[in-house]
Amino acid sequence: MDTKIIQVDEQHIQEELLRQAGGIIRAGGLVAFPTETVYGLGGDALNPGSSKKIYAAKGRPSDNPLIVHICRMEDLAYLVKEIPEAAVKLAEKFWPGPLTMIFHKSEAVPPETTGGLDTVAVRMPSHKAALAFIREAGGYVAAPSANRSGRPSPTSAKYVAEDMAGRIEMILDGGDVEIGLESTIIDMTEEEPVILRPGYITKEMLEEVLSSVGEDGTMMADNCRQAPKAPGMKYRHYAPKGSLMIVDGEEEQVTAYINGQTERLRKEGHKTGVIGTDATIARYRGDVCKSAGDRDDERTIAKELYRILREFDEEEVTAIFSESFDTAGIGQAIMNRLLKAAGHHIIHL
Ligand code: TXA
Ligand code: MG
């Protein structure tokens, strides 16, 4: 299949192009599109055949449900059995935006889209081209992140093309995304809403709207016996091809430890990589050293993380070490993704 790549500009929405893209979805095809979090791989959420194609293009297990993207609040009711009051409040505050809410699904949503679950995840993204595309596509676009299963989510169209060229009809290229990590997921089917995946919208922000919000116990832990409630969280996600180890501790100890390890591994024939920060990066002696940004600027670190992981793959690095990050605010989402990428290999010095 020949994959068309088309530039879209959030500031100047080209209706005709988005109509074409929407037409592909309505005809049962797949189109990757930019959102404010990461690129999505879109198909018609109400068409079971489209959801099957999404799983096939991603190489993703079909028990891992998709997020349905909408462009207007009034479209939510069609997808769900009921809209809890708490969800209305969250939507008023955070939609359109990087928040996904889980509801009991209506009959309109085929089980293929929800991985057989009787719940459905819904999000209204804030990216203007995404909203226009969803409208042209008929209003209900199922979209996981547009990476091949197990790879870091794509934060630019170049990475979508790397994973999806030849497998889907079209890629809408909107440049680099704004946030760089996937949306926060909150389960609204419980008495007390529960965060299943941390993201840009933090627990503190949610608690400004709702009195209390829980957290899935498996979110940051590894050897928890409990299965995560978001099926996707159980897979070793976001993984670079090389091994990745997180090193936590005092700055000087961390640099010394990582330098010792990279030196040892290089002698064993490895190509070594380091993820550091602006203040420390010059001190590392790995073969490929990359700064995720200023340690105090977590938004930048969130935005850079997946690109850095992919660049280590491009440069065929086989052993990577990363500094650890604070888990306050969006730092929790950063560490959640980094821990998954590392298969929970973390050493505390
Ligand atoms: O920011 C995002 O959320 C991006 C953009 C494209 O919107 N999408 C995204 O989708 O990250 P995906 O498929 O890569 O991750 C969706 C996660 C998976 O872990 C999946 O298991 C979980 O959401 N999920 C989806 N529906 C669910 C449901 N009904 N119950 C529990 N978890 C669900
Ligand atoms: Mg994903």
Side-chain angles (χ1 to χ4, degrees), residues 58-61 145 147-153 163 235-241 310 313 341:
K58 270 185 78 85
R60 175 176 187 157
S145 48
N147 51 285
R148 292 271 300 157
S149 196
R151 302 263 287 147
S153 296
D163 283 15
Y235 298 104
R236 180 174 177 233
H237 240 185
Y238 321 114
K241 288 174 190 155
R310 279 187 180 253
D313 285 354

Side-chain angles (χ1 to χ4, degrees), residues 220-256:
M220 305 303 281
D222 177 24
N223 49 8
C224 223
R225 292 226 179 99
Q226 206 184 335
K229 282 198 69 189
M233 301 298 276
K234 73 176 179 250
Y235 298 104
R236 180 174 177 233
H237 240 185
Y238 321 114
K241 288 174 190 155
S243 67
L244 171 62
M245 153 93 71
I246 305 168
V247 185
D248 182 42
E250 293 295 324
E251 198 176 285
E252 268 165 37
Q253 279 179 298
V254 170
T255 349

Side-chain angles (χ1 to χ4, degrees), residues 33 35 37-41 58 60 63-67 69 98 100 102-103 113-114 117 119-121 123 125 143-147 153 181-185 196-197 229-233 237-238:
F33 62 101
T35 81
T37 57
V38 298
Y39 275 75
L41 173 59
K58 270 185 78 85
R60 175 176 187 157
D63 69 343
N64 190 358
L66 309 174
I67 295 174
H69 295 67
T100 296
I102 293 177
F103 302 91
T113 300
T114 64
L117 296 179
T119 54
V120 61
R123 173 162 114 82
S145 48
N147 51 285
S153 296
L181 294 180
E182 306 85 347
S183 61
T184 304
I185 302 182
L196 306 186
R197 179 174 75 181
K229 282 198 69 189
M233 301 298 276
H237 240 185
Y238 321 114

